[in-house]
Every structure is written in structure tokens, then in C-alpha cells.
Amino acid sequence: MASQLNGKVALVTGGSSGIGLATAKRFAAEGAIVYITGRKQDALDKAVAEIGGKVVAIRADSSIVADLERVYATIRDKSGRLDVLFANAGIAAFVPLPAITEEHYDSIVDTNLKGVVFTVKYAVPLLSEGASIILTSSTAGYKGMEAFSVYSATKAAIRQLARGWLLDLKAKKIRVNVISPGMVDTPAIDGLVGDPNAAAGMKAHVASQIPLGRIAQPGDIAAVAVFLSSDEAAYINGVELPVDGGASQI
Ligand SMILES: NC(=O)c1ccc[n+]([C@@H]2O[C@H](COP(=O)([O-])OP(=O)(O)OC[C@H]3O[C@@H](n4cnc5c(N)ncnc54)[C@H](OP(=O)(O)O)[C@@H]3O)[C@@H](O)[C@H]2O)c1
């Protein structure tokens, strides 16, 4: 099969781990020039070695506008345009309502909502005609989950950003789509509960509730990101695609 993203210029925010890393690998394997971001330089260096292909890492925090401006200045200088934007960087924490602090609220909202808004806003001048923007939401954006309300609210907001932006960007025929994974086996899940045994128990419990009998691997989400970025998805615009083994449909 021909490479699906040959010569395209792509940015994956949060490309040093989990879903973003798996997607950056697939983008590079499909012929794209891939830029990745993350806050930790050591994780970015490891990711670059793992991804192979044409990849450039830029240390940047999505919640800081000056960092985003620097990311796009680098892409403009090196590549001159952007064809695919995967606004994926995100963080999560279990905090029940009585324990929500201003710090928890700010950290989740700054990365998951403010970060996505300004990641896309500052990309606009570089986006080519017909570019593809993909936002990472979550099935938590439309299901109630205990101790997850602030995270869930940011993910619900992502869906609505996409609806507005496909209109704001229609003059350049830019598509904006949303991927909503269910549970994916990434370091974020282990970090949510801390203890590895508890994390394994939670993954097994969630897997038992999923019609396909397993939680997702990062590559399951990366495959969908490749499709939505490719010309095969040229007429798909504004959708939210749950990638959850059917869990949210029952
Ligand atoms: N895993 C799941 O079950 C699941 C389910 C639904 C949706 N999601 C969503 O999928 C996305 C990726 O999650 P994941 O599970 O792949 O998590 P992960 O393995 O923890 O990876 C998160 C990535 O985002 C980066 N990141 C975090 N905050 C950042 C910030 N402020 N600025 C720049 N980069 C930042 C991290 O690098 P640094 O820490 O070095 O910055 C890392 O590269 C998130 O939006 C998450 O909400 C995950």
C-alpha cells in the first residue's frame, strides 16, 4: 500500500508518550515529517530515537502560549507549513468533588482546554488548504465518571470546539475531527492510580465491561489518527469518533 501521509508535515502535541508517541511513529512510517512536543526533554529524546524517520522534537508546554509560538516559529522556519495537527497533549487525575482544589482545576484546564485552544489558534497561519486537525477528547467527555469531573468537562468542551472551528476554518477547507478513546493502556493510566497492582486491576475490570474484551493499545488510536489525517478521510469533517471497543454504545 502507498504511504498515506507521504510528504505531509504533521505536529503531534504530547508526542513523547502513549497515544501521541504511537501516532508519531505511524505518521513517520506513513511518510510524514513529524514534529512532536512534550515538557520533558529526556522523554522527547527517547521518543525521537524510537520514532525514527523524519522527526523533530520541540520541548514545549501546551498551556504556555509563548511555548506554542516558539513551536510554530520552528515549524515555519524548517517546513514552511503544517498539513496535519494532532492536538493530543493532555493530563488526568482522579479527584472527587470535595477534594477539588484551585490547583487541580487550573492544571487540568490549562493543559486540556486552554492548551488545545491555543495549540490550534497559533497553528492557523501555517495550516495548508485542506489540512486535517484532530483533537483528542475521551469517552469521559459524555459519560459520568466518579472523581473525574474536571477532566471530563475539559473533554466535553473539546467536542464543542471542533464544531465551532470547522466553521471558522472553512475558507481553507480545513477538516476538524475528534477522537474519543475509551481506556488506553498508556503511562497516564498507571499514573492515575499510582500503584501498579491497582492499575492492573482497574484495567482488567474495565476490559471486562468492553464488548471487544480488552482495553485499547495506543496503536488502536494511532491507526484512526492516520486515517483521519489521510486523503481517504477527505470528506469526514466535524465528527467525534469513539475508539472504545463499543463500550460507550451499550
Ligand atoms: N490513556 C487513556 O485511557 C486515555 C483515554 C481517553 C483520552 N485520553 C487522552 O489522550 C491524550 C494522550 O494521553 P495518553 O494516555 O497518551 O497520556 P501519556 O502517555 O501520559 O502522554 C501524554 C503526553 O502529553 C504530554 N503532555 C502532558 N501535558 C503536557 C503539556 N502541558 N504540554 C505539552 N505536552 C504535555 C506528555 O509529555 P510531558 O509529560 O513530558 O509533558 C506526554 O507526551 C490525552 O489528551 C488524554 O486525556 C487518554
Side-chain angles (χ1 to χ4, degrees), residues 13-21 37-44 59-64 67-68 86-92 107 110-112 115-116 136-140 148 151 154-155 179-189 192 215-216 218 221:
T13 67
S16 60
S17 174
I19 293 168
L21 175 59
T37 66
R39 294 163 300 177
K40 295 192 284 290
Q41 189 63 51
D42 55 339
L44 287 166
R59 184 150 105 64
D61 184 331
S62 297
S63 69
I64 300 174
D67 280 17
L68 293 168
F86 187 28
N88 163 78
I91 54 171
S107 69
D110 278 359
T111 290
N112 294 8
V116 172
T136 307
S137 180
S138 167
T139 55
F148 223 34
Y151 174 84
T154 62
K155 293 303 185 179
I179 297 178
S180 286
M183 186 178 280
V184 187
D185 195 2
T186 71
I189 296 300
L192 267 179
I215 65 169
I221 315 303

Side-chain angles (χ1 to χ4, degrees), residues 127-146:
L127 288 169
S128 54
E129 172 120 359
S132 170
I133 298 173
I134 304 166
L135 312 177
T136 307
S137 180
S138 167
T139 55
Y142 50 85
K143 286 176 80 84
M145 288 177 69
E146 197 175 341

Side-chain angles (χ1 to χ4, degrees), residues 22-41:
T23 302
K25 272 189 210 167
R26 278 295 312 271
F27 280 2
E30 295 291 343
I33 298 153
V34 186
Y35 292 85
I36 60 169
T37 66
R39 294 163 300 177
K40 295 192 284 290
Q41 189 63 51

Side-chain angles (χ1 to χ4, degrees), residues 210-244:
I210 296 173
L212 289 180
R214 64 175 179 87
I215 65 169
Q217 291 301 314
D220 292 317
I221 315 303
V224 177
V226 169
F227 168 66
L228 288 175
S229 306
S230 76
D231 296 339
E232 296 297 306
Y235 203 59
I236 299 180
N237 196 11
V239 304
E240 176 178 20
L241 189 46
V243 187
D244 66 349

Side-chain angles (χ1 to χ4, degrees), residues 155-165 178:
K155 293 303 185 179
I158 295 297
R159 206 286 159 253
Q160 211 50 22
L161 293 175
R163 288 193 171 106
W165 287 344
V178 176

